[in-house]
Amino acid sequence: MNDNNSNQKDFAPLNESVKAVTERITIRSQLTRNAYLKKINAAKSQTVHRAQLACGNLAHGFAACQDDDKNRLKNMVHNDIAIVTSYNDMLSAHKPYESYPQKIKDALHTVGAVGQVASGVPAMCDGVTQGQDGMELSLLSRDVIAMSAAIGLSHNMFDGSLYLGICDKIVPGLAMAALSFGHLPAIFIPAGPMTSGLPNKEKVRIRQLYAEGKVDRNALLEAEAASYHSAGTCTFYGTANSNQMVMEVMGLHLPGASFVHPDTPLREALTDATACQIVRLTENSGNYLPIGQLIDEKVIVNGIIALLATGGSTNLTMHLVAIARAAGIIINWDDFSDLSKVIPLIARIYPNGPADINQFQAAGGIALIIRELLKKGLIHRDVNTIAGFGIERYTLEPWLNEGKLEWREGAIHSLDTNVIADINAPFSSHGGTQVMQGNLGRAVMKTSAVPDDNCIIEAPAVVFNSQHDIAAQFEAGKLNKDCVVVVRYQGPQANGMPELHKLMPPLGVLMDRGFKVALVTDGRLSGASGKVPAAIHVTPEAVNGGLLSKVQDGDIIRVNGKTGELTLLVDEQVLSHRTDATPDLSTNNIGCGRELFVNLRRHLSGAEQGACCIDF
């Protein structure tokens, strides 16, 4: 791509707090990072990687190729690029990938390279499985995706890799796989969001009316179908779009690639350009940049900053931990918390505001977010990216100049200050994610969508061991009071840590009725927690000795989203006489394929350690 001629006079030196957090991560990670770099250095090759294969191995590797590709692969000069795809045609975000492999292969041919689909990985949608048994496989699917991709890459045929993935667990899983093959260059290729449909605010209104019994299922289905209506990612700012935000700010997309609609000329041009770019980064290109070197401590911190500044999905508080660990870098929630004190919230995208991701893009998008952060020195400039050195390159935006892909200066100022704020007049001085702690353990809260007067809740607990028990209590009017709803035994080892979005409509109704309500759970909510103050990912989880297991109905709990306090206000002596009353969880192991994952689930780490079963 063309050089960045961005005017940098407004860019400030690096903020001291950002520098301090990065330095402590670097010190903390010294042993593991050095071991990781040693490992990927040992995997390097001075020529194309397939040259190390015996003739019989190599022949198997290109047996199905067309003749021209076979000849290129016999010649130990041309690059072979792995394509790892999450395509399926049921899920809207992944449907566009159907035609990508052939388009990528065609683009690779123009620069003398070959592309092969190395692996297909599963892609599930939490939106489909919400409240269903299959939701308990969701978090585990991230590690399965990493392992699936690694199997494809293990053929050792490849000089670089391209990853086709969008949604919740797919991108983190692919990133973990890419880092396990960290000696290879890697680029992620997004497919873009669907066009705007029914406004998200209206969708939520219909959901709450349905929860109250004021509209029927047909009305609800019509509203949902008008919202999720075509190929592409959902337009709210959940985990899928948070993934794209973080990947671009970490320099793993081409600048401006994240939120261009599917099946448009610009989208196709960006995909072609990405295929050509990966070849420029291979070992025999003279410009070698493997992903294991690209992703360093500064890049990981930039990813956290992007999440905080935009109020992104709380799922990334686990996924970024796992991704970093795959690169030998150790981060924890204290790093998120300390960065959140200096990173202001400068984006409002639903559920943090009425705008969707397309309105965010129109207001200036990621390029403007990076520019605003640079003005205050709140992001590392001196980082590698797949587009070249320096994060300033990502203040540019792609466009088609008479059909030719070029980059130009992105927005200098917000085109809609209700969606992207000036860094000097942020929506909040605090990042959109709050780390919570107290005697109940540690947790996270997405504060960016919570009204200021609802950030502090102190009320009696109403305790549930299953999300499915709440609807009956709500419908019977037993939740019409100030309360802290506790939903426990939803952590990684208990049942795979499902998302609990079905709780949001009834809890939202209670808030609209004037009650003070909060949620405390060792389960997940991702980016769609909305206006309900929710302390989630509580660790240690209830099944692993967490104090959640001893909470009883009527106990007073304080949830303070401003200070980060999460406290059970019960005397220690009283608690010492209570015993854990862990329910029979054996049914979590049966049905909908869950029996295949029992052993993996037993090895999942805690939420703050990434909820990971892979030992990097």
Side-chain angles (χ1 to χ4, degrees):
M1 60 177 288
N2 47 309
D3 290 336
N4 181 7
N5 295 315
S6 175
N7 186 340
Q8 300 177 16
K9 66 180 181 180
D10 293 332
F11 297 165
L14 186 66
N15 175 277
E16 288 298 321
S17 295
V18 173
K19 183 188 297 185
V21 171
T22 307
E23 287 175 351
R24 82 180 182 209
I25 291 171
T26 301
I27 293 169
R28 184 193 304 144
S29 308
Q30 189 170 10
L31 291 177
T32 51
R33 179 64 175 170
N34 286 343
Y36 174 78
L37 292 174
K38 183 178 179 180
K39 179 189 78 169
I40 66 171
N41 188 60
K44 286 172 57 177
S45 171
Q46 298 305 310
T47 181
V48 293
H49 281 266
R50 65 185 178 280
Q52 303 172 51
L53 299 179
C55 292
N57 302 128
L58 184 56
H60 275 81
F62 61 57
C65 291
Q66 59 173 297
D67 289 343
D68 287 347
D69 282 352
K70 282 185 180 180
N71 290 332
R72 288 190 181 98
L73 293 176
K74 288 176 184 177
N75 183 322
M76 298 301 171
V77 174
H78 298 279
N79 288 296
D80 189 15
I81 304 301
I83 302 167
V84 181
T85 178
S86 60
Y87 162 73
N88 65 58
D89 67 3
M90 186 192 78
L91 303 181
S92 64
H94 299 89
K95 174 64 167 69
Y97 286 135
E98 181 174 12
S99 59
Y100 274 42
Q102 188 57 54
K103 292 177 181 178
I104 290 168
K105 291 177 184 181
D106 292 344
L108 288 168
H109 285 160
T110 68
V111 290
V114 175
Q116 292 184 287
V117 176
S119 184
V121 302
M124 67 179 293
C125 175
D126 294 356
V128 176
T129 58
Q130 288 295 336
Q132 307 297 314
D133 291 343
M135 186 69 221
E136 296 180 10
L137 304 184
S138 173
L139 184 57
L140 270 168
S141 76
R142 182 197 63 192
D143 293 20
V144 172
I145 287 161
M147 291 184 274
S148 300
I151 289 171
L153 295 170
S154 70
H155 293 105
N156 206 27
M157 288 277 293
F158 307 110
D159 307 294
S161 48
L162 295 171
Y163 294 90
L164 313 184
I166 290 280
C167 285
D168 296 21
K169 314 310 169 298
I170 295 90
V171 167
L174 292 176
M176 291 158 66
L179 286 163
S180 72
F181 285 77
H183 61 288
L184 297 179
I187 306 180
F188 287 70
I189 301 182
M194 65 179 68
T195 56
S196 300
L198 184 74
N200 285 296
K201 187 175 183 179
E202 176 64 10
K203 174 187 67 180
V204 171
R205 187 183 73 85
I206 298 298
R207 285 179 176 177
Q208 291 194 181
L209 288 175
Y210 179 75
E212 294 179 276
K214 294 179 179 179
V215 300
D216 63 14
R217 179 180 171 85
N218 287 334
L220 178 64
L221 182 56
E222 287 302 313
E224 299 286 358
S227 180
Y228 309 116
H229 62 93
S230 69
T233 59
C234 308
T235 61
F236 71 91
Y237 196 38
T239 309
N241 287 322
S242 296
N243 282 339
Q244 305 317 301
M245 178 80 67
V246 169
M247 288 292 106
E248 185 163 328
V249 174
M250 288 173 63
L252 294 170
H253 289 171
L254 283 181
S258 293
F259 301 127
V260 176
H261 292 306
D263 302 319
T264 59
L266 181 56
R267 173 90 276 157
E268 293 184 4
L270 284 164
T271 300
D272 290 348
T274 304
C276 296
Q277 185 68 9
I278 192 68
V279 177
R280 300 187 183 104
L281 304 179
T282 59
E283 286 181 67
N284 58 355
S285 69
N287 190 39
Y288 179 48
L289 182 59
I291 187 174
Q293 290 180 9
L294 185 157
I295 291 186
D296 61 11
E297 293 87 349
K298 293 178 182 178
V299 168
I300 291 293
V301 168
N302 281 358
I304 298 173
I305 288 167
L307 183 74
L308 296 171
T310 58
S313 168
T314 50
N315 273 328
L316 271 294
T317 63
M318 291 186 296
H319 297 328
L320 276 169
V321 172
I323 291 168
R325 190 63 185 85
I329 299 167
I330 301 171
I331 61 174
N332 58 40
W333 288 348
D334 289 332
D335 302 322
F336 286 79
S337 181
D338 289 349
L339 287 169
S340 195
K341 294 173 184 175
V342 297
I343 303 299
L345 180 69
I346 56 173
R348 283 212 180 278
I349 322 167
Y350 187 84
N352 311 331
D356 67 13
I357 201 68
N358 297 316
Q359 292 166 292
F360 167 79
Q361 178 77 347
I366 296 176
L368 182 58
I369 293 292
I370 292 173
R371 179 178 294 280
E372 292 298 317
L373 291 168
L374 284 167
K375 288 179 183 178
K376 290 285 190 180
L378 293 173
I379 191 167
H380 287 282
R381 296 171 62 183
D382 54 337
V383 291
N384 284 309
T385 79
I386 60 96
F389 188 76
I391 196 65
E392 292 94 338
R393 291 176 179 271
Y394 286 74
T395 63
L396 303 177
E397 65 177 15
W399 69 301
L400 292 177
N401 183 6
E402 296 182 353
K404 180 182 178 183
L405 179 63
E406 295 182 358
W407 275 263
R408 62 190 176 190
E409 199 77 54
I412 305 297
H413 304 289
S414 176
L415 302 177
D416 186 342
T417 54
N418 293 314
V419 181
I420 300 178
D422 186 286
I423 196 75
N424 294 306
F427 297 118
S428 170
S429 61
H430 184 282
T433 302
Q434 172 72 59
V435 177
M436 312 288 289
Q437 57 186 354
N439 62 354
L440 280 172
R442 285 163 66 84
V444 294
M445 178 188 288
K446 185 171 179 175
T447 58
S448 50
V450 179
D452 195 63
D453 58 352
N454 283 327
C455 279
I456 303 173
I457 306 292
E458 185 173 315
V462 182
V463 183
F464 299 92
N465 293 335
S466 169
Q467 63 174 314
H468 304 296
D469 296 335
I470 293 176
Q473 294 267 40
F474 170 76
E475 290 166 5
K478 295 181 179 180
L479 297 181
N480 288 330
K481 57 187 176 181
D482 292 352
C483 60
V484 175
V485 174
V486 174
V487 186
R488 59 192 180 187
Y489 303 107
Q490 306 300 306
Q493 291 191 14
N495 64 349
M497 205 178 190
E499 289 185 354
L500 306 173
H501 286 173
K502 282 190 174 293
L503 305 184
M504 291 301 99
L507 296 184
V509 169
L510 294 177
M511 289 181 66
D512 289 347
R513 290 174 179 170
F515 299 113
K516 293 287 189 179
V517 179
L519 173 69
V520 175
T521 180
D522 46 11
R524 295 187 294 127
L525 277 175
S526 86
S529 53
K531 65 186 179 182
V532 178
I536 61 177
H537 303 182
V538 174
T539 183
E541 62 177 293
V543 80
N544 244 353
L547 188 58
L548 274 185
S549 66
K550 293 187 176 182
V551 179
Q552 296 180 359
D553 286 341
D555 289 347
I556 303 299
I557 294 177
R558 180 184 297 139
V559 180
N560 190 327
K562 293 182 179 292
T563 64
E565 181 184 358
L566 179 62
T567 304
L568 175 64
L569 299 174
V570 176
D571 185 84
E572 289 289 333
Q573 192 167 5
V574 173
L575 289 174
S576 68
H577 289 91
R578 290 184 184 177
T579 58
D580 294 346
T582 303
D584 180 7
L585 301 175
S586 60
T587 56
N588 295 344
N589 301 333
I590 302 168
C592 207
R594 289 178 291 176
E595 53 270 21
L596 302 176
F597 294 85
V598 172
N599 286 331
L600 280 181
R601 199 176 70 205
R602 287 173 181 157
H603 292 283
L604 283 172
S605 60
E608 188 169 8
Q609 291 73 45
C612 192
C613 67
I614 299 172
D615 185 14
F616 288 106

